[in-house]
Amino acid sequence: MRKKVAIIAFDGITPFHLSVPCLVFGGQHGESLFEVSVCSAERGPMRTTAGFDIAARKSLRALAGADIVIMPTWHDDCRPAPPALLQALRRAHAQGALIVGLCLGAFPVAEAGLLDGRTVTTHWAFAGQLAARCPLVRVDQEVLYVDEGDVLTSAGAAASLDCSLYLLRKLAGADYANMVARRLLVAPHRDGGQAQFIERPLPVSGSDCRLSAVLDWVQHRLAEEHSLDALAQRAAMSRRNFTRHFRQATGTSFKQWLLNQRLAHAQRLLEKSDAPIEVVAQQSGFGTALSLRQHFRAAFQQTPSAYRRLFL
């Protein structure tokens, strides 16, 4: 059965933000998996920031039967969300819908109380306003997106694509998400992160070719041991320069990046093969099944076996 995706539009919306989830979950490639609807509290034509009008065919009542509800952005002045929108978000969440707040869309989601005591991210320039508006949430402006299980939020602009592709990968698997990413001409961001946080991915192309070449070399040898000294030597850098360049390029440490790469490789093996967990652990660089289970549960809050069952 197709999952119902409700995307909320409003008067004054930025077309780019609205188009992101429509492109990722809609179109011909998504017809067999998702039923996408754009809905709004307003009736009739709605203005956009690009100078043309749009109209939604459905009202906020469409949220009641949705599996996924996406708030793709919000007004740049971060005005309080109307009570009808907040109530619709709360009702959809209570009925089991996954709620997604992309970019400034995190504001209405947080205002609805769906992230109280939890972590949220949004565009870095508006993080302070969100923290002041919703003091019960923890705002992290350093990450691309945050997965709280039943609520996802993303940073600004292009990070909405990252978050949407991440969610698509969770729902439909790596191969499908990669196919969609190729159609959109963007890189599929598949790195896991510590707990529910997704670290900044490795750039598709970097100015430091030596660093990129070394990391590509590591990605093809995840089952092997890697030391900073050996990798710095391969990159013709000192250990200090290698560490500095690495953090500038990826936003994280080499140890965390390597763990993310190994977790992502383990996910791919679990999705696409029936290899025993012990073999998956060895091929992804964890060595033992126990080590894989410990790291996998810490990152994704489930066991490798439970994750595999999602793709059977």
Side-chain angles (χ1 to χ4, degrees):
M1 178 179 291
R2 295 188 298 172
K3 289 187 177 295
K4 295 183 179 180
V5 180
I7 303 171
I8 301 173
F10 52 87
D11 187 57
I13 196 170
T14 303
F16 170 80
H17 291 93
L18 178 61
S19 71
V20 167
C22 291
L23 285 170
V24 172
F25 297 100
Q28 292 184 347
H29 64 262
E31 288 180 350
S32 63
L33 296 178
F34 305 101
E35 179 184 333
V36 177
S37 300
V38 176
C39 54
S40 174
E42 291 96 344
R43 293 184 178 182
M46 292 176 288
R47 296 165 297 176
T48 71
T49 58
F52 57 84
D53 293 349
I54 60 173
R57 296 179 180 177
K58 296 186 177 182
S59 69
L60 292 182
R61 288 195 296 269
L63 272 62
D67 299 294
I68 302 168
V69 174
I70 300 177
M71 194 78 221
T73 186
W74 190 236
H75 297 279
D76 287 348
D77 60 7
C78 303
R79 68 190 65 172
L85 175 57
L86 298 179
Q87 185 177 13
L89 288 171
R90 294 186 191 110
R91 186 183 300 115
H93 182 259
Q95 293 174 346
L98 172 65
I99 309 297
V100 182
L102 302 175
C103 191
L104 297 185
F107 274 76
V109 175
E111 284 184 58
L114 305 184
L115 285 160
D116 288 355
R118 305 164 87 180
T119 301
V120 60
T121 193
T122 190
H123 193 292
W124 61 268
F126 297 86
Q129 289 178 254
L130 182 57
R133 177 81 58 80
C134 304
L136 295 181
V137 306
R138 296 185 297 270
V139 180
D140 188 340
Q141 67 182 50
E142 298 299 325
V143 294
L144 287 177
Y145 45 97
V146 178
D147 183 353
E148 284 283 4
D150 55 347
V151 183
L152 276 74
T153 53
S154 84
S160 298
L161 265 172
D162 297 324
C163 184
S164 297
L165 286 169
Y166 165 76
L167 177 56
L168 183 64
R169 184 172 187 273
K170 286 186 67 175
L171 297 172
D175 287 346
Y176 187 86
N178 288 347
M179 177 272 292
V180 174
R182 284 194 297 271
R183 290 190 177 189
L184 298 178
L185 296 180
V186 297
H189 301 316
R190 301 159 71 179
D191 288 2
Q194 186 174 4
Q196 287 126 350
F197 300 102
I198 310 302
E199 301 287 353
R200 297 184 184 94
L202 181 67
V204 176
S205 59
S207 59
D208 194 326
C209 295
R210 290 176 297 167
L211 178 62
S212 296
V214 168
L215 298 188
D216 182 68
W217 182 84
V218 172
Q219 285 179 312
H220 288 85
R221 295 165 178 81
L222 293 175
E224 302 176 12
E225 293 294 326
H226 300 285
S227 70
L228 275 176
D229 289 331
L231 295 176
Q233 185 178 13
R234 176 172 285 274
M237 299 179 184
S238 67
R239 178 185 174 119
R240 180 179 179 182
N241 278 340
F242 180 85
T243 301
R244 179 170 58 85
H245 280 280
F246 188 93
R247 186 169 286 278
Q248 287 176 345
T250 68
T252 189
S253 67
F254 174 74
K255 181 180 179 181
Q256 185 62 53
W257 177 86
L258 181 60
L259 174 60
N260 294 344
Q261 297 300 312
R262 286 172 167 165
L263 285 168
H265 188 55
Q267 285 180 302
R268 291 192 292 271
L269 292 174
L270 292 167
E271 293 168 11
K272 300 170 63 175
S273 78
D274 57 359
I277 299 299
E278 291 77 8
V279 174
V280 173
Q282 293 169 4
Q283 293 184 355
S284 54
F286 289 99
T288 67
L290 176 61
S291 178
L292 172 61
R293 291 189 184 99
Q294 289 174 337
H295 285 97
F296 205 92
R297 183 180 287 278
F300 307 117
Q301 293 75 55
Q302 60 183 326
T303 65
S305 297
Y307 181 82
R308 168 175 276 168
R309 286 194 291 273
L310 297 174
F311 299 90
L312 294 178

